[in-house]
């Protein structure tokens, strides 16, 4: 009878290599959605200026999803509790869908992702690791606050999207629904309320991101 193959548990190096692989796939657009896009067709706004505006908004949303991937990846890397890590990984799976839906929509709108995405990935990954190192309750607090801010931001986009862009609207609506659930999961797992200056710093960073990604 042969003995079972020897299996060692993953080392820090394995986790780091996994995180680097994830970063490269995310930035290269080599991410496939597990769920079909909520958009029922690929039609685009009739007017050229509306198409440009929709592309700017969807580029901002795509960059937001790049940040979400990086944040969850950084947090999962240092999460202490297995339940927290698996909640982060399952939310990251849904964020991958968002990322792929936004990227496809950008192509349909004859546009492209932001050139600054690698910078945003690096910054968000660092925030994820830092909040994770502070402890799971802070990491979850950071997640819950991020999702709350993203929810408000997506609501704004639903108002701003051109009236005849049903496809982008369907994607943003589904993303908002998922983000609300991610926030509730974080709170249910024991998220701490972040100090006000941290919330303000997060809002300021997200303002810089949304204003630059719309154009660049
Ligand atoms: Fe998302
Ligand atoms: Fe989310």
């Amino acid at each position: 009878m042969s003995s079972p193959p020897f299996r060692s548990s993953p080392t820090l190096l394995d986790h780091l290599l996994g995180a680097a692989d994830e970063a490269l796939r995310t930035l290269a657009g080599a991410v496939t959605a597990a769920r079909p896009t909520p958009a029922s067709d690929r039609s685009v706004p009739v007017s050229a200026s509306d198409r440009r505006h929709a592309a700017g908004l969807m580029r901002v949303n795509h960059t937001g999803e790049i940040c979400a991937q990086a944040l969850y990846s950084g947090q999962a890397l240092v999460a202490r509790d297995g339940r927290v890590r698996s909640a982060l990984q399952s939310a990251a799976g849904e964020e991958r869908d968002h990322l792929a839906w936004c990227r496809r929509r950008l192509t349909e709108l004859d546009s492209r992702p932001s050139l600054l995405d690698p910078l945003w990935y690096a910054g968000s990954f660092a925030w994820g690791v830092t909040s994770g190192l502070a402890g799971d309750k802070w990491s979850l607090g950071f997640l819950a606050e991020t999702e709350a801010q993203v929810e408000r931001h997506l609501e704004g986009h639903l108002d701003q999207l051109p009236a005849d862009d049903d496809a982008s609207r369907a994607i943003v609506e589904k993303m908002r629904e998922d983000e609300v659930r991610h926030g509730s999961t974080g709170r249910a797992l024991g998220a701490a309320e972040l100090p006000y200056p941290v919330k303000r710093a997060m809002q300021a960073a997200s303002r810089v991101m949304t204003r630059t990604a719309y154009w660049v």
Side-chain angles (χ1 to χ4, degrees), residues 64-65 68 94-95 98-99 147 150 154 175 178-179 182:
E65 296 301 333
E94 294 193 341
E95 307 291 6
H98 301 172
L99 185 71
E147 298 289 3
V150 172
L154 292 176
M175 280 164 48
D178 289 346
E179 315 303 8
H182 299 160

Side-chain angles (χ1 to χ4, degrees), residues 8-32:
S8 61
S9 51
T11 62
L12 177 63
L13 181 65
D14 293 326
H15 286 304
L16 285 171
L17 288 173
D21 179 61
E22 230 171 286
L24 290 174
R25 282 166 188 274
T26 301
L27 291 169
V31 169
T32 39

Side-chain angles (χ1 to χ4, degrees), residues 49-74:
S49 67
D50 280 351
R51 283 198 296 279
R52 269 196 306 278
H53 180 52
L57 297 176
M58 293 311 281
R59 185 161 42 252
V60 168
N61 293 330
H62 180 267
T63 299
E65 296 301 333
I66 291 271
C67 294
Q69 283 300 308
L71 189 65
Y72 282 124
S73 175

